[in-house]
Amino acid sequence: MQISKQTIDILSNFSSINSSIMVNAGSELQTISAMKNILAKVTVHETWPNDFAIYDLNEFLSLIKSSVFFGADYHFNQDKVTLSKDKAKSSYFYADPSTVVSPTTSVNMPVIDINFDFSQEDLNTVKSMSSILQKGDLKVTSDGNIISLTVLDKNDPTTNTFTLDVGDGDGSTYDMFFRVENLKLFTGDYQVEISQQAISHFSHKDLDLQYWIALEPDSVFNGKE
């Protein structure tokens, strides 16, 4: 079998969440951060023939993205995957699954209290302003009329800020906090859903790709933490 460029790119994104991955037979890929505060899941075009674990995903990606093996054929054995292209071959052995942090349960989203569209342009803007201002917090806030994203340092009352309006409010007021560094999203536009129970769901609009990202514990919805 072969692995598409899109799947390789998604694996590269997943490697920013967890440097290892456990792949189960079928067409789904999942990963979870070491802190268990970011979970990602995607359905890909490939069908993995068996379960296997990769401990150093970045190393494996460097191998399969190299000019020698990009577009290679993959043969998944019980203990290793063999890559072959033209005259070149490589054997890459799987890791012991016990050495890999992987999801063990799925997320059942609570009642959704906030939702808005989040474009790739919005994400780029937020990350750019976070870098320029050197502020690592992102506040999803509403006065009841407008939903806005504000980059700031929530622990500094004199913080410099950047604010971007992203939607219409529904009468609810809130200050829901993310860490910008946790927005490890694959390229594209997303529908965002947030529960006041401090969990969010990002759904890619063009791919069967989802992220669940925990909010910071000091988030406040309608005056309640």
Side-chain angles (χ1 to χ4, degrees):
M1 65 176 284
Q2 293 191 322
I3 301 178
S4 68
K5 181 181 183 302
Q6 183 180 85
T7 296
I8 292 172
D9 289 342
I10 290 172
L11 283 168
S12 294
N13 170 255
F14 280 16
S15 72
S16 70
I17 298 171
N18 188 331
S19 59
S20 304
I21 194 167
M22 179 70 207
V23 177
N24 298 116
S27 296
E28 190 173 273
L29 292 170
Q30 295 188 81
T31 193
I32 192 168
S33 63
M35 297 292 290
K36 307 292 181 69
N37 58 349
I38 308 170
L39 171 67
K41 180 170 71 172
V42 65
T43 301
V44 295
H45 298 297
E46 295 81 2
T47 300
W48 314 109
N50 50 272
D51 298 350
F52 61 93
I54 301 292
Y55 183 75
D56 190 339
L57 182 54
N58 285 308
E59 179 184 73
F60 182 65
L61 286 166
S62 294
L63 177 69
I64 68 178
K65 290 193 291 187
S66 69
S67 59
V68 177
F69 287 112
F70 190 77
D73 290 313
Y74 296 77
H75 183 72
F76 291 90
N77 302 289
Q78 290 303 307
D79 60 345
K80 63 184 177 183
V81 56
T82 301
L83 289 70
S84 59
K85 181 184 176 185
D86 300 328
K87 298 179 180 180
K89 285 187 177 180
S90 178
S91 293
Y92 198 93
F93 283 84
Y94 307 142
D96 184 333
S98 67
T99 66
V100 173
V101 176
S102 60
T104 55
T105 60
S106 58
V107 176
N108 293 316
M109 277 296 291
V111 173
I112 303 304
D113 300 296
I114 306 164
N115 64 80
F116 58 91
D117 292 330
F118 191 44
S119 68
Q120 180 65 49
E121 182 180 1
D122 292 343
L123 176 61
N124 291 344
T125 298
V126 164
K127 289 190 172 183
S128 175
M129 290 299 107
S130 174
S131 176
I132 290 170
L133 296 175
Q134 293 294 294
K135 309 303 178 189
D137 296 309
L138 178 67
K139 178 173 64 173
V140 181
T141 186
S142 180
D143 59 2
N145 298 311
I146 300 294
I147 302 172
S148 302
L149 306 179
T150 298
V151 174
L152 75 165
D153 178 350
K154 64 182 180 179
N155 296 315
D156 180 359
T158 63
T159 181
N160 296 323
T161 65
F162 166 80
T163 297
L164 179 70
D165 294 338
V166 292
D168 296 326
D170 63 0
S172 298
T173 60
Y174 43 83
D175 293 317
M176 311 295 284
F177 292 100
F178 290 91
R179 291 293 296 168
V180 174
E181 65 192 20
N182 288 339
L183 300 179
K184 300 179 185 294
L185 304 174
F186 184 69
T187 302
D189 300 331
Y190 289 83
Q191 175 68 36
V192 182
E193 299 173 323
I194 300 175
S195 167
Q196 62 179 289
Q197 296 185 34
I199 184 69
S200 67
H201 181 216
F202 290 71
S203 301
H204 198 285
K205 291 193 172 184
D206 298 313
L207 303 172
D208 186 5
L209 171 61
Q210 305 171 77
Y211 298 81
W212 291 264
I213 303 174
L215 283 80
E216 297 300 290
D218 53 352
S219 297
V220 177
F221 187 88
N222 282 341
K224 299 180 181 179
E225 293 191 7

